[in-house]
Amino acid sequence: MAKITYVHPDGTSSVVDVEPGNSIMRGAKLAGVEGILAQCGGGATCGTCHIYVDRDNTTPLPAMHDLEDGLLCVTASPRQDNSRLSCQIPVTEELDGLVVHLPEKQL
């Protein structure tokens, strides 16, 4: 298991044990974390699972592919240099302790 911390826009957080093999998005959805809509269910077609990876993160994440890069240009909350789609980051044990911030809005 990897503990992923989802920080809500109001500063509260949800710490979730996510089983490796799931995505950061799926872990949030299974645990009922508010703030990740994931309307397409993880198909990288909607951009409603936008997150900001904590700036203090030192764990390497998978490279962003062109589809994800394009979707991040049309998200409801502004894209930042630490923006990612949570459906495109598979959880591994190495991500234990990862902190992600949820944007103000997804739609």
Side-chain angles (χ1 to χ4, degrees):
M1 291 288 198
K3 284 196 185 309
I4 307 294
T5 300
Y6 301 85
V7 180
H8 302 274
D10 67 1
T12 61
S13 61
S14 300
V15 180
V16 177
D17 286 322
V18 182
E19 192 168 328
N22 286 307
S23 65
I24 291 174
M25 178 275 298
R26 184 158 169 75
K29 295 303 284 181
L30 289 172
V33 173
E34 297 288 326
I36 294 182
L37 299 180
Q39 288 185 318
C40 71
T45 61
C46 71
T48 61
C49 67
H50 180 205
I51 57 168
Y52 302 112
V53 176
D54 194 83
R55 294 191 184 281
D56 292 333
N57 176 55
T58 58
T59 304
L61 299 176
M64 184 183 306
H65 55 74
D66 291 341
L67 181 61
E68 179 181 6
D69 189 39
L71 280 170
L72 286 168
C73 291
V74 296
T75 53
S77 289
R79 180 182 183 158
Q80 299 177 9
D81 62 346
N82 59 335
S83 287
R84 292 296 302 261
L85 294 181
S86 59
C87 71
Q88 297 303 297
I89 304 175
V91 172
T92 63
E93 295 205 11
E94 289 77 24
L95 291 185
D96 186 47
L98 181 70
V99 176
V100 299
H101 299 265
L102 305 174
E104 288 285 333
K105 57 185 175 178
Q106 294 284 4
L107 288 177

